[in-house]
Amino acid sequence: MNLLKKGFKRGGVKLPEHKETTEHKKIINAPVPKRVKIPLQQHIGKPAIPVVQIGDEVKEGTLIGKMDGDFSANIHSSIPGKVIGIGDIYNPNAQKSRYIEIEFKGNIKYWEIKNSKWDLFSKDELLERIKNAGIVGMGGATFPAHMKYKPPVPIETLLINGAECEPFLTVDDRLMSEKAVELREGIRILKKILNPKKIFIGVEDNKIEAIEMLEKNSANEYEVVPLRTRYPQGGEKQLIEAVLKVEVPSGALPFQVGVVVANISTIYAIYEAILFEKPLYERLVTVSGQIVKWPGNYKVRIGTLIHDLLHDCQLFINPAKIISGGPMMGYSQLTDDTPITKGTSGIVVFSKEEIKFKKEKPCIRCGRCMQACPVGLFPNIMYNNISINDLQSAEKIGLKDCIECGACSFICPSKIQLVNYFKSAKLNLKRNISLSLNKIPRVKGFEYGKEK
Ligand code: SF4
Ligand code: SF4
């Protein structure tokens, strides 16, 4: 039956899913933390400018960082209390940022619907409200939403990304299963803004309840498209190819083929921002891993430290590895003193026994990485180029098109962490630096999963 399902054509891998631990766990609120460290840079673009000082009292949703120009995003307090510190911190994606530390004091706010007749707002008013609420793409890209949903040309299709193809992560699955009516309202808001002719939601076929609930509550606003479960189905270009049979050319953006892609969590944030006038200061996070006593899908306040969240979920033993996001495209954390941000969809922890550090062996030219690459690149050849410090040749054969999905590393029998070399090489090309391989920061080989 799978053969009949839609899916991207080129490459990809079948991963062990590990979603069973949390896929049926209902969304619950994480305990309100006693303090939060809220980064001013949680998005692509310029960091927000702090508008509070140490000693200031804030409420839940108070603006604490004002966007610096249009390519930026507002930042709001996620708890009521007092500003007790301003400093520097590393985000989960290792990006350095100023942060504002707030100590909890006061009462939690109950948000009520203020704008049930939101359809009286103009398209520009809706975008302005989304901008003021500090909404960014919550699938990981963190692109400011008011810019993404204002494409320079009219679009044909709004494509909702419900694939959630990363192992362990289940927040979008739960949102689609539990909040289908609210999501439909969020989709209607985007429909008014973008005026697309067609709206599709692409969902991997391992999310049976989500597909049922979305179909049941569609009210003919959108069409649900079940997709073959294959990684990386949730990549924007892969999703467009799978649902619309349209290939986005190298270097082009989806709007150039008439498509805007929206993430499920982002749509839910838009729903809350427009109907409740609630800024984006909390998000859903899957906390998972065999050593977590209370794994689940938690509504977590932005700025909550990973340490505090894991303390609330309780671990049986100390973790040997903490990943923010999923194990394929997420970020290993050097410390648990790192805050949850608008882009954090999951925290996955592993024990020492679960992770296998394998020494990289020489490439045996088996070609499996080429077969797995969803972009159609030659990972082994790019790796060879990078090995001899020839970044320009790697660039010529498509290094910049690499979506850093890690499918090649996963499949490589020599355990070469190809994606890490590509990430470093891309960064160096951006900075116009030429480094020899032994100077490219090495990451210990982490073999995710057992099935190949
Ligand atoms: S999968 Fe690994 S060993 Fe095989 S060709 Fe690619 S890099 Fe070489
Ligand atoms: S990480 Fe890059 S090269 Fe490797 S499979 Fe993904 S897109 Fe292809």
Side-chain angles (χ1 to χ4, degrees), residues 36-50:
V36 287
K37 286 183 177 176
I38 305 176
L40 292 166
Q41 174 84 76
Q42 301 182 39
H43 46 267
I44 294 178
K46 283 181 156 182
I49 301 162

Side-chain angles (χ1 to χ4, degrees), residues 365-409:
R365 294 183 172 74
C366 65
R368 291 174 76 180
C369 53
M370 292 192 283
Q371 286 162 12
C373 181
V375 185
L377 301 177
F378 302 99
N380 51 346
I381 301 175
M382 293 197 302
Y383 168 70
N384 286 343
N385 293 148
I386 294 166
S387 305
I388 55 167
N389 192 26
D390 186 1
L391 303 193
Q392 281 66 33
S393 292
E395 188 182 8
K396 270 187 205 147
I397 57 168
L399 177 63
K400 282 186 177 166
D401 287 330
C402 168
I403 58 168
E404 301 174 11
C405 67
C408 51
S409 308

Side-chain angles (χ1 to χ4, degrees), residues 6-7 53 61 82 112 127 130 133 142 179 207 246 298 344 365-366 399 402 429 443 448:
K6 289 189 174 186
Q53 294 176 341
K82 195 183 221 178
E112 287 178 345
L127 277 170
I130 288 171
T142 63
K179 306 281 182 191
K207 299 171 185 60
V246 172
Y298 295 94
T344 312
R365 294 183 172 74
C366 65
L399 177 63
C402 168
L429 275 174
V443 183
Y448 166 65

